[in-house]
Each structure stands twice: as C-alpha cells, then as structure tokens.
Amino acid sequence: MSYTQESLEEWVPRTRVGRLVKEGKITSIEEIFEKNLKIMEPEIVDFLVPDLQHEVIDIMIVQKQTDAGEITRFKALVVMGNFNGLVGIGSGKARQLRFAIQKAIQDAKLKIIPVLRGCGSWECMCNTPHSIPFTVRGKSGSVEIILKPAPKGTGLVAGEVAKKVLKYAGIKDVWTLTKGHTRTTYNFAMATYDALRRLFYFTKPSDWARS
C-alpha cells in the first residue's frame, strides 16, 4: 500500500519518531538510523523516502487447521529498496492475494535498513560504492550466504533471489557463496538481508573520527 500526498498530510502519528517526522524535526531517514531509532509506522518511510520501489519475489499458499476446518491463505514475500543504499524485506498473509501483498509491503517498510556500500576488492580499489567494503556472512534457517567484494564489471554472481535483494540495495558487483537449501526462497532472501544488515556491525577507519 502506498500513500498519496493528501493521505500523508492527514496522517496522525502514533509514535514519538512519527511525530518528529511529521513536525519536520527529522528530515531524512539517515537521521533515524544515526540516532538508532526504531521505525514503527510505515508512513515514516513514505514521508522520508517517497521513491522506494518494490517487487514480489515469492507467493505461497499456506493452510491453517482450525475447529471449523482448514483455512487457506496466501503468503507473499516482497523486497523493497531505492537502488541506492536502502533495502527491506517483508512478508504478509491474507485470504486474498492483494491484501497479502499489501501487508508484505507494509512489513518491508518497517524493516528498511541502510546498506554499507564501497569497493573492497584489491583488483579494483576505485573507492566508489558499487560493491561492499569487506566480506560478510548472513544466515537464515538452513541457508547461509557469504558476500565478497568484486571489481567493477563483475556483476551480481548470485542466485536469482539474492540478486533481487542486492539489486534493490544498490549493489552492482559482488561474489557469493551459499550453503543449505537455497530453494527455500524465504530463507535465501532473509539470509541475504541478514548479510547486508551485518555490514554495519563493523566500523571503517573513516568512521573513527566521527565516533
């Protein structure tokens, strides 16, 4: 679900961060990340980053056993990003596919994260943000993925699911190594997302002065 300018103007924030955004005291999503604040309203992301795009990467049919019998629902998995250092993955369930996708989009907005990009390849060293600055590992379920910096022109050497997540994050060149049942789309996507999230677990020398 996307919000129009009119609906955002009528938006009544329910959290402190939402009120700061609506009042103009927080003007960029980077401020939220720098202050380690939590995004609990999807409207915050719509307000600060209106150019986000999304793509449905998986749709499943799930069943739930109740006293009245089996209930069949759709489960959608969505990746969202701005192709420039922001990415999020969300899932949603509903009896109708349209509502499942809407829930997944809302969930992806709440899970949006910054992605640390750079050029950590000794074969390139161009100091432009086309790859990642160092090797990083991510895990979800049985799936484990290792992302390695690659020189310009390499492209995304990864499976199709990981490619979509990396593309929406704004990464153009990377090598990957995967283990586990990568046919499980959800775990494969979340392992890639986990690896990108872990890039901020480390600080670079350029961050020392700021710290």
Side-chain angles (χ1 to χ4, degrees):
M1 179 178 179
S2 58
Y3 297 88
T4 62
Q5 189 62 35
E6 290 77 12
S7 62
L8 285 176
E9 290 176 357
E10 297 173 359
W11 165 46
V12 180
R14 303 181 301 277
T15 62
R16 183 175 69 90
V17 177
R19 289 191 291 271
L20 292 174
V21 170
K22 187 70 181 289
E23 294 169 3
K25 296 179 181 179
I26 293 180
T27 57
S28 69
I29 198 165
E30 287 76 17
E31 290 184 52
I32 294 179
F33 297 138
E34 289 175 359
K35 295 176 182 177
N36 200 26
L37 301 175
K38 189 173 183 180
I39 298 174
M40 301 182 68
E41 297 180 76
E43 293 89 349
I44 294 174
V45 178
D46 285 296
F47 205 93
L48 299 176
V49 196
D51 61 339
L52 283 177
Q53 299 182 43
H54 70 271
E55 181 178 346
V56 179
I57 57 178
D58 191 37
I59 294 174
M60 295 177 289
I61 295 178
V62 295
Q63 292 182 329
K64 180 181 180 181
Q65 187 69 40
T66 65
D67 295 336
E70 289 185 348
I71 297 178
T72 301
R73 294 185 296 174
F74 291 97
K75 181 179 180 180
L77 184 66
V78 167
V79 61
M80 173 174 286
N82 65 346
F83 303 94
N84 191 28
L86 290 176
V87 71
I89 292 182
S91 62
K93 296 178 185 177
R95 293 191 179 184
Q96 295 185 29
L97 180 58
R98 179 168 62 94
F99 295 127
I101 294 174
Q102 287 181 357
K103 287 183 177 180
I105 292 173
Q106 301 292 72
D107 189 41
K109 291 176 183 177
L110 297 178
K111 294 178 179 176
I112 205 82
I113 59 169
V115 177
L116 184 63
R117 298 175 297 160
C119 177
S121 173
W122 61 270
E123 299 174 280
C124 185
M125 299 302 289
C126 64
N127 294 323
T128 58
H130 66 95
S131 185
I132 56 177
F134 43 79
T135 300
V136 69
R137 185 188 307 259
K139 194 176 188 302
S140 177
S142 68
V143 181
E144 186 176 357
I145 186 170
I146 300 173
L147 306 181
K148 296 183 178 182
K152 271 189 177 181
T154 302
L156 299 175
V157 185
E160 288 302 318
V161 174
K163 272 185 181 179
K164 292 180 180 179
V165 178
L166 295 167
K167 180 182 71 172
Y168 275 83
I171 295 175
K172 300 176 182 177
D173 306 287
V174 76
W175 279 310
T176 65
L177 174 65
T178 57
K179 301 177 183 177
H181 298 284
T182 55
R183 288 180 295 179
T184 307
T185 304
Y186 178 83
N187 283 341
F188 196 6
M190 291 306 296
T192 309
Y193 173 82
D194 182 55
L196 296 176
R197 182 173 58 86
R198 289 174 182 272
L199 286 171
F200 269 93
Y201 283 15
F202 304 91
T203 57
K204 308 186 302 298
S206 58
D207 298 327
W208 296 349
R210 187 176 62 181
S211 299

